[in-house]
């Protein structure tokens, strides 16, 4: 039994996988909030490069990964698939547990898979600056690295409570020459307005998105970049699931349960969507999103059209949502703070192809401690929700005696979040 | 050309390699400071388990790795050998650069290779508590993890200036249920005495060693554990060099230059000693230790018998030393702060088999930034000295046109040291 299932450089996918080619239904389009009609793609081009707007809409099954992006991926890809022998032993479970280790990327999470792609397309179309928001900081530091790699200026608006709790993220963004502002900030009109009304606001992802969009719209040759939720972001992340499929074949096993943590849906979608053709053939395959009890978009939200941000600058998306004004309780320290959810994953949950469970913060932290000592990797607080889900399934197998194959996405490490675990 | 050269689980070494079997000279023995005669091994047994005292003295070429230690190694070993394609490109060098990535270990550095072995032998012989010192924190957190893994209590004395600069190390040690004290502390008589004389002391590794030894000697079933310098520590680290040799064979190349950073000698020795048989056959192989200009044991020190600690509780070792009272200047932020050097490496440098160069902090930090952006891994400040050495050699190749094969040990990542780079 091999612990590390490694691929070769040539196994880095040459295409991103577009699940829309295989879905048995049509997705509801994004709406223009002024007309409530499907949005004209050209309206999105003030925010994103044309190539990404096209990727957002296309139904082509395979989208070629540009050679320079694949070359950048080769810095850290293929990432290992790891058999969680230590965790299995600790749980005395007959289940076989595997994790795809996306934490080996330069910034410690899967986020770089789309950051590099987005930076590349922006560079190609003449952009010189990108702005974005970040929650726990994984996305902001990934975009900063991608900016350093492709020579673009990066401005990051970071949810204020996380900015204060995680100074190391700031250092990392600065090391890659990026600029970072706690949000709400007095750097944008929207931020100023929020601060007038609630000077002690701890921020939310919706607010930070609003600031980053305002910044992009107000500067020359500046685009906005989103780290999750949108279809093109999930598309870029499918390198995760494609590699995992190949690695499971090498391991000689087929997954019974796929598990990921869920914030906006990018690690979850990137990991699970390439398995949708298998799911359509084999209905017993369970695909499980683990969201925080403190930000329960699926388990407590409503499936409807809603805004992606608090200032209502974005198109309306059909998704599970807690309402664009939602702010998680201050006690919640993790990065899974988004009020909504990827429209693709929302629909798949709605139709019953995937399911969602809510994990209380305390259970996630306990799982993280167990995983740290038994597997030797400290997970990001986000990732620990997936691990808690895995622990639930593996314990159920220990009780029933079932030898299920559980595979999860280890989306990021927690080395820059160690203080969260102490508090 | 493959970027990642990975081994299988079965390739984890089954023996540690003891270079003493192959050295063309006899090493000078440790002396008892009271008699100035070779120390009676039984005197060391108040500090260390018998198995380690034996390993310190033996000349057997191969020492079997106990199955439980090898099982623990399997959490993160074999570690990858990586072709530094990004760095080569940035330096426009014809040299081929490879690095052994020891930063993938649970605590982010090579230190765990000996921590697990030491914790295991202590457990076997009935120890329940271990004390130790740590400089930058890599060693302390490694021993804490090993303690958590093998169920031992761990007390770490951390050089005060590093303790204050690197709070994340404290969080990590605590996550693994270890206890950590800034040194000099009022937790030992020696620490109290230092604080009386110099209340603002920023500490030194020598002081922290004195405190950890006093602690071990004053408690029941408590041993002391050292993370570098001693022969048995270097012995455990030879898993690094043994794997690297195999990986270079897979890459189809033979090294012309081996480079490592140097503090006490454990990562450097573990990486280079398994290549000594090659060095004895092929004299053109260069083996280069990179030490900080701010703590220049080889390049400014004297080769003589000296104490290992400031309180003079340890045996005297024949080594390059700056004197046991040496404290690096406060501006120096790295972990390579030890006044002395491994006796084995000292002798090999003295005899001309290895050489040492001094790297100024600024040059190390510049190399770290370059490496972070081109290779996508942020090095520990310690490791960045090795990278600076590599950059010097690779640039020389760019000028001369030589296509040397340069291999270095990436001893640890800097994710818990990000603030060092900002200051």
């Amino acid at each position: 039994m091999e612990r590390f299932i490694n691929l070769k450089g040539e196994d880095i996918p040459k295409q991103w996988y577009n699940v829309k080619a295989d879905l048995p239904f049509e997705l509801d389009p994004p709406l223009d909030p002024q007309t409530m009609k499907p949005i004209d793609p050209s309206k999105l081009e003030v925010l994103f490069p044309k190539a990404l707007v096209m990727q957002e809409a296309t139904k082509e099954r395979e989208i070629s990964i540009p050679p320079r992006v694949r070359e950048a991926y080769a810095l850290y890809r293929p990432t290992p698939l790891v058999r969680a022998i230590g965790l299995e032993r600790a749980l005395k479970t007959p289940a076989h547990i595997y994790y795809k280790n996306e934490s080996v990327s330069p910034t410690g999470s899967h986020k770089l898979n789309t950051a590099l792609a987005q930076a590349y397309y922006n560079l190609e179309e003449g952009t010189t600056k990108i702005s974005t928001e970040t929650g726990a900081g994984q996305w902001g530091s990934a975009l900063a690295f991608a900016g350093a790699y492709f020579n673009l200026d990066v401005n990051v608006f970071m949810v204020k409570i996380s900015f204060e709790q995680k100074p190391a993220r700031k250092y990392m963004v600065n090391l890659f020459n990026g600029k970072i502002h706690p949000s709400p900030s007095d750097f944008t009109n929207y931020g100023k307005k929020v601060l007038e009304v609630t000077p002690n606001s701890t921020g939310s992802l919706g607010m930070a998105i609003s600031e980053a969009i305002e910044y992009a719209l107000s500067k020359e040759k500046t685009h906005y970049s989103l780290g999750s939720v949108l279809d093109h972001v999930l598309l870029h992340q499918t390198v995760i699931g494609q590699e995992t499929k190949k690695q499971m074949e090498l391991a000689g096993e087929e997954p019974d349960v796929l598990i990921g943590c869920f914030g906006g849906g990018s690690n979850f979608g990137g990991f699970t969507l390439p398995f949708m053709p298998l799911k359509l053939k084999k209905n017993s395959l369970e695909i499980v999103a683990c969201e925080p009890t403190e930000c329960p978009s699926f388990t407590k939200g409503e499936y409807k059209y809603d805004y992606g941000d608090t200032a209502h600058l974005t198109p309306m998306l059909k998704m599970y949502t807690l309402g664009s004004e939602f702010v998680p309780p201050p006690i919640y320290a993790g990065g899974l703070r988004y009020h909504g959810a990827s429209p693709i994953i929302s629909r798949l949950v709605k139709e019953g192809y995937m399911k969602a469970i809510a994990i209380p913060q305390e259970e996630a932290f306990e799982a993280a401690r167990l995983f740290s000592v038994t597997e030797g990797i400290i997970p990001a607080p986000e990732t620990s929700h997936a691990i808690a889900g895995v622990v639930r399934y593996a314990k159920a197998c220990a009780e029933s005696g079932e030898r299920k194959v559980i595979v999860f996405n280890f989306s990021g490490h927690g080395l820059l979040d160690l203080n969260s675990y102490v508090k």
Side-chain angles (χ1 to χ4, degrees), chain A residues 57-133:
Chain A
T58 182
K59 285 182 187 163
E60 226 176 296
R61 181 173 285 107
E62 294 183 329
I63 314 288
S64 284
I65 301 177
R68 287 190 64 191
V69 174
R70 201 164 168 266
E71 191 178 293
Y73 281 169
L75 278 179
Y76 61 100
R77 306 206 72 86
T79 63
L81 183 75
V82 188
R83 176 77 183 269
I85 301 165
L87 183 64
E88 288 176 18
R89 257 184 230 135
L91 295 173
K92 298 190 178 70
T93 181
H96 289 190
I97 305 174
Y98 294 86
Y99 56 98
K100 179 67 168 166
N101 187 359
E102 289 293 306
S103 79
V104 300
S105 97
T107 54
S109 84
H110 69 290
K111 291 288 187 186
L112 202 54
N113 299 326
T114 185
L116 288 165
Q118 294 192 39
Y120 168 79
Y121 287 119
N122 270 293
L123 181 72
E124 282 290 287
E125 297 187 19
T127 312
T128 59
K129 285 188 194 178
I130 327 182
S131 66
T132 196
E133 74 292 334

Side-chain angles (χ1 to χ4, degrees), chain A residues 1-9 11 76-85 88 96-102 104 240 242-254 375 405-408:
Chain A
M1 177 179 57
E2 199 64 24
R3 178 163 162 85
F4 296 100
I5 297 143
N6 292 307
L7 298 174
K8 298 273 180 196
D11 296 318
Y76 61 100
R77 306 206 72 86
T79 63
L81 183 75
V82 188
R83 176 77 183 269
I85 301 165
E88 288 176 18
H96 289 190
I97 305 174
Y98 294 86
Y99 56 98
K100 179 67 168 166
N101 187 359
E102 289 293 306
V104 300
I240 305 172
Q242 290 183 72
E243 286 180 8
T244 306
K245 275 170 72 176
K246 213 174 257 188
Q247 286 162 313
M248 288 305 293
E249 278 164 31
L250 283 178
E253 303 221 70
E254 196 173 79
E375 285 293 312
V405 176
I406 305 170
V407 190
F408 76 98

Side-chain angles (χ1 to χ4, degrees), chain A residues 257-400:
Chain A
V257 189
L258 295 172
I259 294 181
C261 64
F262 198 95
S266 82
N267 99 77
F268 184 80
F271 174 59
T272 62
L273 292 178
F275 286 93
M276 274 306 294
L278 176 65
K279 171 70 186 173
L280 293 169
K281 276 189 298 190
K282 175 187 166 183
N283 193 39
S284 66
L285 174 64
E286 288 187 82
I287 306 182
V288 186
C290 298
E291 64 180 12
T293 303
E294 295 79 8
C295 187
S297 313
F298 287 128
T299 51
K300 294 278 163 83
E302 222 181 306
Y303 185 61
K304 64 175 187 187
Y305 269 106
D306 195 8
Y307 294 96
D309 72 322
T310 319
H312 298 179
L313 301 173
T314 63
M316 302 193 76
L317 302 172
K318 185 82 173 277
M319 60 185 178
Y320 279 93
T321 173
L322 296 158
S324 64
E325 307 286 334
F326 178 82
V327 178
I331 193 177
Y332 177 65
L336 308 170
R337 337 179 50 87
Y338 190 57
H339 66 273
S342 143
I344 296 178
I345 306 296
S346 290
R347 181 69 180 273
L348 284 163
V349 168
K350 181 73 184 166
E351 304 273 347
Y353 293 100
M354 297 179 171
K355 67 174 114 177
I357 58 179
I359 306 280
Q361 179 162 258
E362 205 43 45
E363 184 180 345
F365 278 13
E366 269 319 298
R369 275 176 194 273
L370 177 67
F371 196 84
S372 300
V373 176
T374 57
E375 285 293 312
I377 312 189
I378 299 170
E382 298 81 86
T383 309
S384 64
H385 293 80
I387 300 172
V390 170
V391 169
R392 285 191 192 179
Y393 272 81
K395 281 185 175 169
C397 286
E399 277 173 30
S400 69

Side-chain angles (χ1 to χ4, degrees), chain A residues 166-188:
Chain A
K166 304 179 180 190
R169 282 290 165 192
K170 175 177 177 299
Y171 302 141
M172 188 184 252
V173 168
N174 291 341
L175 181 67
F176 299 137
N177 299 323
K179 291 174 203 76
I180 188 161
H181 319 280
S183 167
S185 76
D186 54 11
F187 208 71
T188 65

